Amino acid sequence: METVNLFALATQQSKWLAVRQTAVAGNVANVNTPGYKAVDVEPFESVLDKTGVRLATTQQGHIAGSVGESGFAVNAQADDPSILPSENSVVLEDELMKAGEVRRQFELNTAIVKAFHRMLMTASKG
């Protein structure tokens, strides 16, 4: 059975959320910039899919594994038919919805880490 390092996973998601928040804020800041194309970060699920796991070699004959690098790609959003005459593809309502999602995900991430930390502290005291 493979162990899951919850704190490392939560840290990685926090970094991803920070990058997504920056992308959303950049879109909002450029809502009136002619020709600006809205950007977004790849879904966190695809970041996790690219993350490799290091295999433990406990005997000499074992094959060593490698760790995959995970990055957060910020890509231009697909062409949207709602592009304005100024060729700006930012829809303010969509960006505000994304900002709300980021906030809720940050809160959930923090609550999970807090609960896990409390559980570890309780287990170590008893």
Side-chain angles (χ1 to χ4, degrees):
M1 188 167 147
E2 184 180 325
T3 61
V4 176
N5 189 344
L6 184 70
F7 291 123
L9 183 62
T11 300
Q12 188 174 18
Q13 187 190 29
S14 291
K15 290 177 184 177
W16 178 84
L17 287 168
V19 171
R20 186 156 195 230
Q21 186 176 24
T22 301
V24 169
N27 289 342
V28 171
N30 288 294
V31 71
N32 290 325
T33 303
Y36 180 80
K37 303 294 182 212
V39 296
D40 201 359
V41 181
E42 64 182 329
F44 189 63
E45 292 80 20
S46 65
V47 172
L48 288 179
D49 289 343
K50 289 191 274 182
T51 303
V53 177
R54 183 179 308 262
L55 301 176
T57 54
T58 57
Q59 294 182 0
Q60 194 174 29
H62 286 176
I63 299 172
S66 62
V67 176
E69 292 297 320
S70 63
F72 310 125
V74 178
N75 304 319
Q77 292 180 358
D79 290 335
D80 190 2
S82 64
I83 293 179
L84 302 171
S86 65
E87 296 183 6
N88 186 318
S89 66
V90 177
V91 178
L92 192 57
E93 291 83 4
D94 292 344
E95 299 305 316
L96 293 176
M97 295 268 296
K98 289 178 195 174
E101 288 173 18
V102 169
R103 181 185 57 80
R104 283 188 300 278
Q105 289 175 347
F106 262 125
E107 289 173 356
L108 179 61
N109 186 315
T110 304
I112 290 171
V113 169
K114 232 166 136 178
F116 191 68
H117 182 262
R118 244 188 334 257
M119 181 180 70
L120 283 175
M121 294 303 289
T122 303
S124 65
K125 288 179 185 176

